[in-house]
Amino acid sequence: VEKVFKFAKFPDKPYNYAISIALFLTGAFWMVWATTYLVYKGEGSPIEAFGKAIEPTKKIVKTGPFKYTRNPMMFGFFVILLGMAVFFRTLAGALLVPLIALGFIVYWRVFEERYLSERFGKEYLEYKRETSVLIPREPIHSGTLADDD
């Protein structure tokens, strides 16, 4: 991509490596935290394909990392991708991360959210309304989400 579009590389600076390591560790933290939290709190597996969970969770999880984003594992994955782009000094890679994220957001809207809406009904629709799809932030409280931690 860089050769075709003649993208410049990031400068080879020592801080690039520190930034890339920080991004990688942050992304890995979110992925591990979310996966283990979903397995223990949701009592199921995060593995799914085209909106169908292989081993679906037994209950909706709205606390822990899921309090801040509906897709904390994918947030972590995209942070790792960004860290890799910085490590390899590829501007094209850094620019592709949001485009890939946009593709996943479309996928979530078409497959995952429909499945979860059917499965958990009003509870999921409320959670969806109050919680960011990807970028972690404090939820918008309507007074009904309870933190059970």
Side-chain angles (χ1 to χ4, degrees):
V1 174
E2 287 163 337
K3 290 180 183 176
V4 172
F5 294 105
K6 297 183 178 24
F7 280 111
K9 284 192 158 268
F10 289 122
D12 190 11
K13 302 287 184 186
Y15 57 78
N16 284 355
Y17 300 109
I19 291 169
S20 66
I21 290 168
L23 288 168
F24 181 83
L25 291 175
T26 300
F29 168 78
W30 275 91
M31 289 183 76
V32 170
W33 183 29
T35 302
T36 55
Y37 204 87
L38 189 62
V39 168
Y40 290 108
K41 288 284 189 176
E43 300 172 9
S45 167
I47 301 169
E48 61 99 0
F50 302 104
K52 296 295 180 186
I54 306 301
E55 184 184 341
T57 58
K58 292 181 176 69
K59 51 190 167 184
I60 190 169
V61 179
K62 302 182 287 188
T63 57
F66 295 91
K67 175 182 176 182
Y68 304 103
T69 171
R70 296 193 309 270
N71 296 285
M73 287 168 272
M74 292 310 295
F75 170 73
F77 173 71
F78 292 126
V79 171
I80 288 172
L81 284 182
L82 191 57
M84 290 174 63
V86 172
F87 182 83
F88 291 111
R89 302 181 307 121
T90 169
L91 181 58
L95 294 174
L96 282 173
V97 172
L99 292 175
I100 296 168
L102 183 61
F104 274 94
I105 289 171
V106 169
Y107 168 83
W108 292 321
R109 301 277 178 177
V110 171
F111 293 106
E112 189 174 278
E113 288 186 349
R114 184 180 319 148
Y115 170 72
L116 292 171
S117 295
E118 290 170 2
R119 189 156 172 241
F120 294 111
K122 183 180 174 186
E123 185 179 16
Y124 177 75
L125 294 174
E126 184 177 296
Y127 171 66
K128 178 180 163 185
R129 186 176 55 252
E130 295 178 350
T131 310
S132 167
V133 68
L134 184 62
I135 306 297
R137 66 166 170 74
E138 282 292 323
I140 300 165
H141 290 289
S142 65
T144 56
L145 273 183
D147 190 31
D148 65 358
D149 291 338

